């Protein structure tokens, strides 16, 4: 499947089916720090993603230090 | 995964609550947690007018949406910071949000209204951009709220923001900052009340709320903030949270319940009647010196050769 990542913007291919939690582990991403989005909707951690899915992994950490 | 409330398929898991939620009940959770913060910390009374400091990011646009949904008269206030294309895109998000929901938006643009921008201020003062940015926004928010007769200013600081700031303040035992780190700062002469209604909600929940509610926010990080200490603290805390869900909540709310009062004597004495505070000779803001820090920043920076930025908003010669 195509997985779109940010900071920097890039796309990687990951073989499916794979659960969201396993995908994040494979990419060494912290579940607290990202959302997984498919077709504009949130995908929960236990859901299996098929090989033909196209996924956005969106970081949620932001902010300046004031 | 099923929704804790209705047993329909869930769209999000929140590990510190040990619960999953469908879209409808997730939105309700966010509203309930915001209401609980507002009531629990006496942030707003029914019918009060509130000015929401909006940046175009997820937290502030979500906050504006939530306060409106909860029935408050909430207007938006946006400062154009002049950070190249990043500021252009964030301003567009804010204006689109206001127009689509028919909300009132007040805008100030640093370059047009005060003849400087944040990258140039950072270059001239040789300090981190977040310093000039925070100083400018605080000053302009205060002024806009007082001029507009608002009862309070609301900012989108969430649990992750507060936990990260607490972490940084604790690492260096910044006792005066610790004493001030409260979800509500009461009004005092020249300064409106400041409230943080999202302190019970995590950063991931705010991004999820925007996705569920169809709020188009700016996802890219501010190019001036990339790699700063604050973001590093958040990542460190998320590693702890991942191993032990609920740690960030326990850290911040434990501080509020059991520790913050112990730092009260670190605050400088301040007369609440304003008698021993001078007014800035330029703008009339209460200040401890003749000219307030914002007007000093304008003095140093206005008219300086603007720093050139890339399309993403990074200084070209950095």
């Amino acid at each position: 499947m195509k997985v779109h990542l940010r900071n920097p913007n890039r796309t990687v291919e990951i073989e499916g089916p794979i659960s969201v939690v396993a995908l994040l582990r494979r990419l060494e991403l912290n579940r607290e720090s990202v959302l997984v989005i498919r077709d504009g909707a949130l995908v929960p951690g236990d859901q299996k993603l098929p090989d033909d899915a196209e996924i956005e992994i969106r970081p949620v950490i932001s902010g300046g230090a004031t | 995964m099923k929704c804790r409330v209705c047993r329909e398929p869930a769209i999000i898991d929140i590990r510190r609550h040990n619960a999953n939620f469908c879209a409808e009940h997730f939105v309700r959770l966010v509203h309930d947690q915001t209401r609980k913060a507002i009531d629990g910390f006496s942030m707003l009374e029914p019918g009060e007018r509130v000015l929401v400091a909006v940046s175009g990011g997820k937290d502030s646009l979500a906050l504006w949406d939530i306060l409106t949904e909860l029935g408050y008269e909430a207007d938006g206030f946006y400062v154009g910071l002049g950070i190249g294309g990043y500021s252009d895109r964030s301003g567009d998000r804010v204006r689109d949000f206001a127009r689509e929901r028919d909300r009132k938006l007040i805008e100030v643009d640093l370059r047009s209204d005060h003849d400087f921008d944040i990258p140039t201020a950072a270059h001239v003062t040789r300090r981190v951009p977040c310093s000039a940015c925070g100083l400018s926004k605080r000053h302009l928010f205060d002024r806009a709220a007082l001029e507009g007769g608002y009862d309070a200013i609301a900012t989108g600081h969430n649990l992750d923001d507060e936990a990260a700031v607490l972490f940084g303040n604790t690492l260096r035992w910044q006792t005066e900052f610790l004493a001030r780190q409260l979800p509500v700062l009461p009004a005092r002469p020249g300064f409106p009340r400041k409230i943080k209604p999202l302190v019970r909600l995590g950063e991931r929940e705010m991004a999820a709320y925007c996705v569920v509610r169809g709020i188009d926010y700016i996802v890219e990080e501010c190019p001036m903030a990339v790699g700063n200490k604050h973001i590093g603290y958040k990542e460190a805390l998320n590693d702890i949270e991942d191993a032990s869900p609920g740690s960030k909540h326990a850290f911040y709310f434990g501080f509020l319940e059991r520790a913050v009062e112990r730092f009260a004597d670190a605050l400088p004495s301040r007369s609440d009647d304003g008698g021993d505070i001078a007014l800035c000779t330029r703008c009339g803001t209460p200040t401890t010196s003749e000219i307030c820090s914002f007007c000093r920043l304008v003095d140093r920076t206005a008219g300086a050769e603007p720093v050139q930025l890339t399309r993403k908003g990074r200084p070209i010669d950095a």
Side-chain angles (χ1 to χ4, degrees):
Chain A
M1 74 187 73
K2 277 192 166 52
V3 180
H4 301 291
L5 295 150
R6 292 178 188 253
N7 301 335
N9 284 336
R10 62 205 187 278
T11 300
V12 298
E13 284 282 346
I14 301 280
E15 196 175 323
I18 186 170
S19 74
V20 167
V21 168
L23 173 68
L24 296 180
R25 204 176 297 132
R26 172 92 59 90
L27 295 168
E28 298 184 343
L29 292 170
N30 187 326
R31 289 168 64 186
E32 286 295 316
S33 305
V34 296
L35 291 176
V36 176
I37 298 172
R38 184 184 182 195
D39 296 331
L42 298 176
V43 190
D46 67 342
Q47 195 163 110
K48 274 256 192 278
L49 300 163
D51 192 46
D52 63 354
E54 189 162 347
I55 301 296
E56 176 193 352
I57 295 186
R58 185 181 292 187
V60 300
I61 291 184
S62 65
T66 54
Chain B
M1 262 172 44
K2 290 191 173 7
C3 173
R4 178 166 82 178
V5 182
C6 67
R7 312 307 297 167
E8 291 295 313
I11 54 139
I12 188 166
D13 57 310
I14 303 180
R15 292 172 70 212
R16 76 171 185 286
H17 292 316
N18 195 23
N20 312 311
F21 296 91
C22 69
E24 179 190 342
H25 291 112
F26 173 65
V27 168
R28 189 184 296 176
L29 171 89
V30 170
H31 290 179
D32 288 349
Q33 291 292 327
T34 309
R35 165 72 67 202
K36 191 171 177 180
I38 290 172
D39 293 346
F41 293 109
S42 304
M43 292 183 181
L44 288 170
E45 297 296 324
E48 284 193 319
R49 293 175 67 233
V50 57
L51 189 62
V52 184
V54 284
S55 66
K58 63 189 189 312
D59 304 298
S60 57
L61 289 183
L63 176 61
W64 199 2
D65 182 75
I66 295 163
L67 291 175
T68 304
E69 290 291 309
L70 291 177
Y72 291 100
E73 188 185 334
D75 297 333
F77 181 74
Y78 174 76
V79 180
L81 301 165
I83 306 175
Y86 173 79
S87 285
D88 297 340
R89 292 186 286 279
S90 51
D92 287 345
R93 298 295 194 288
V94 172
R95 286 177 215 108
D96 288 348
F97 181 98
R99 190 179 56 251
E100 286 162 12
R101 289 161 179 80
D102 199 21
R103 306 304 307 173
K104 179 180 173 185
L105 174 66
I106 303 169
E107 287 193 62
V108 170
D109 184 81
L110 286 182
R111 178 51 70 190
S112 334
D113 297 325
H114 297 282
D115 198 22
F116 78 100
D117 54 49
I118 294 303
T120 306
H123 180 73
V124 170
T125 61
R126 298 181 182 211
R127 295 185 61 184
V128 291
C130 299
S131 168
C133 180
L135 187 161
S136 302
K137 288 198 287 198
R138 282 192 295 274
H139 175 87
L140 295 166
F141 289 151
D142 288 344
R143 200 152 85 185
L146 292 173
E147 286 174 2
Y150 291 91
D151 298 293
I153 289 179
T155 55
H157 294 95
N158 57 45
L159 175 60
D160 291 68
D161 294 318
E162 294 305 300
V165 170
L166 176 60
F167 190 60
N169 288 341
T170 306
L171 275 180
R172 287 172 184 73
W173 293 114
Q174 307 258 35
T175 51
E176 187 181 335
F177 293 159
L178 286 164
R180 270 192 235 281
Q181 208 194 327
L182 296 163
V184 180
L185 291 176
R188 53 194 171 87
F191 299 97
R193 186 189 329 149
K194 289 176 185 154
I195 65 172
K196 299 175 181 175
L198 301 183
V199 290
R200 298 188 61 84
L201 291 155
E203 193 146 55
R204 182 167 163 269
E205 286 125 72
M206 299 326 301
Y209 181 84
C210 288
V211 173
V212 170
R213 292 279 295 162
I215 296 170
D216 184 19
Y217 66 93
I218 186 155
V219 176
E220 66 188 286
E221 181 53 272
C222 173
M224 300 274 129
V226 167
N228 73 18
K229 271 191 303 204
H230 187 68
I231 292 175
Y233 294 155
K234 285 184 169 180
E235 288 170 347
L237 287 168
N238 273 349
D239 285 343
I240 297 170
E241 182 81 14
D242 192 38
S244 178
S247 296
K248 288 183 287 196
H249 182 99
F251 181 46
Y252 178 60
F253 283 91
F255 164 75
L256 292 182
E257 285 158 21
R258 297 193 293 278
V260 66
E261 284 184 5
R262 295 166 191 259
F263 296 102
D265 62 2
L267 287 172
S269 59
R270 176 187 280 149
S271 167
D272 272 350
D273 61 15
D276 60 352
I277 295 177
L279 299 182
C280 172
T281 53
R282 302 278 169 80
C283 70
T285 298
T287 176
T288 49
S289 49
E290 187 185 341
I291 300 174
C292 76
S293 49
F294 177 76
C295 289
R296 284 202 304 271
L297 180 68
V298 172
D299 277 355
R300 289 185 68 186
T301 310
E305 182 72 20
V307 169
Q308 299 298 312
L309 300 173
T310 65
R311 199 176 64 82
K312 283 195 168 178
R314 292 200 174 91
I316 280 172
D317 59 351

